[in-house]
Amino acid sequence: MMHLAETLNFSGRKVVAAWASVPFPALRGYSLPDTLCAYQQDVPWKLLSSCREQKVGCCFAQSVVLRGICKERKQPTSPLHACESTEQILQHYLRTAFPGAFSTSRVLEQPCNTLPPYPQFFSPLLTRQGFVLDKAPSYSSAAVESIPVLAALQSSSVLHTLLYSLYKDVQKVNTGRWASFFSAGVEQDDFQEALEELRTLSQCYEMGSEADESEDEADSD
């Protein structure tokens, strides 16, 4: 994980955000292009990292893995449908959703198994294979045995909010009131240096107006 994060970061960045879709929202009987075409204005995964900003921001680099979805042969109705493989479909979608970003992707045919002791917290709209039904069945469905999953690590502008909020919170700490705070041998100067490094790191994820606002706040500090 650490080495992958290092691969995705450049220009002073060191942190990545985690995203996932568990299960991946694929309707039963629909192809992967059908599913992705329904997410033209958004992405079919959610932010797991504790950022206040939950929407997808500017992406610098990312690594995406999709499991349990195969390409179904249908008459091409969009550029996604015209792709020859599942890998090409996902890559095309990532290039369209995140233009200019460095994106790596991998597709695995095997879904994630959800047999006991995996908790059965799934919606009744899911089939045994984890695909979404149009409506809940009239009968009690069996336990979900497997699910398609998408997971991503992303170097993204959403991390600016997380890192800068952390910087502001730590900055408010009155270390003079905590005598034991530096008992481990950390010096006050080292603490201040680490705090400034955190601020500098947050600025590596800024975009446009965010950078201007951050400079204004810096002047007020």
Side-chain angles (χ1 to χ4, degrees):
M1 187 74 73
M2 180 181 66
H3 294 308
L4 179 56
E6 290 177 351
T7 302
L8 296 175
N9 282 303
F10 43 86
S11 300
R13 304 182 187 104
K14 301 179 181 179
V15 183
V16 292
W19 304 74
S21 184
V22 183
F24 183 76
L27 289 171
R28 184 178 64 172
Y30 282 62
S31 66
L32 178 59
D34 293 333
T35 302
L36 294 177
C37 283
Y39 289 88
Q40 294 296 321
Q41 304 301 320
D42 201 356
V43 292
W45 56 83
K46 300 296 182 182
L47 183 62
L48 301 183
S49 300
S50 57
C51 302
R52 295 176 186 174
E53 176 60 59
Q54 293 296 307
K55 294 183 179 180
V56 176
C58 175
C59 176
F60 310 114
Q62 62 185 337
S63 176
V64 181
V65 176
L66 176 64
R67 294 187 58 170
I69 299 288
C70 297
K71 185 181 188 305
E72 297 182 14
R73 293 292 178 182
K74 291 187 176 182
Q75 187 67 26
T77 57
S78 73
L80 284 176
H81 289 82
C83 295
E84 296 183 356
S85 66
T86 310
E87 290 84 353
Q88 291 179 3
I89 294 170
L90 184 56
Q91 269 291 339
H92 188 285
Y93 177 77
L94 294 175
R95 286 197 301 268
T96 303
F98 305 98
F102 168 72
S103 298
T104 65
S105 62
R106 187 178 182 187
V107 175
L108 305 175
E109 291 187 6
Q110 283 293 106
C112 289
N113 292 325
T114 56
L115 297 172
Y118 198 96
Q120 288 294 315
F121 46 55
F122 301 108
S123 164
L125 288 174
L126 288 189
T127 67
R128 285 188 178 185
Q129 291 73 39
F131 293 101
V132 183
L133 297 168
D134 292 327
K135 59 181 180 180
S138 57
Y139 56 90
S140 178
S141 59
V144 177
E145 298 177 354
S146 64
I147 55 172
V149 171
L150 184 143
L153 291 179
Q154 192 179 79
S155 177
S156 167
S157 59
V158 299
L159 287 162
H160 165 67
T161 304
L162 171 65
L163 295 171
Y164 194 72
S165 297
L166 178 59
Y167 160 75
K168 296 296 287 185
D169 289 341
V170 177
Q171 187 186 41
K172 296 175 183 177
V173 175
N174 184 358
T175 56
R177 297 180 56 188
W178 306 90
S180 61
F181 195 79
F182 297 101
S183 61
V186 179
E187 299 293 337
Q188 179 69 34
D189 290 343
D190 294 335
F191 174 78
Q192 291 299 327
E193 182 180 350
L195 189 59
E196 287 305 312
E197 288 178 354
L198 179 59
R199 177 177 179 168
T200 300
L201 180 60
S202 73
Q203 292 172 343
C204 293
Y205 295 89
E206 289 179 310
M207 295 298 299
S209 59
E210 289 182 341
D212 296 336
E213 292 175 3
S214 184
E215 289 178 1
D216 293 339
E217 291 184 6
D219 293 338
S220 65
D221 291 342

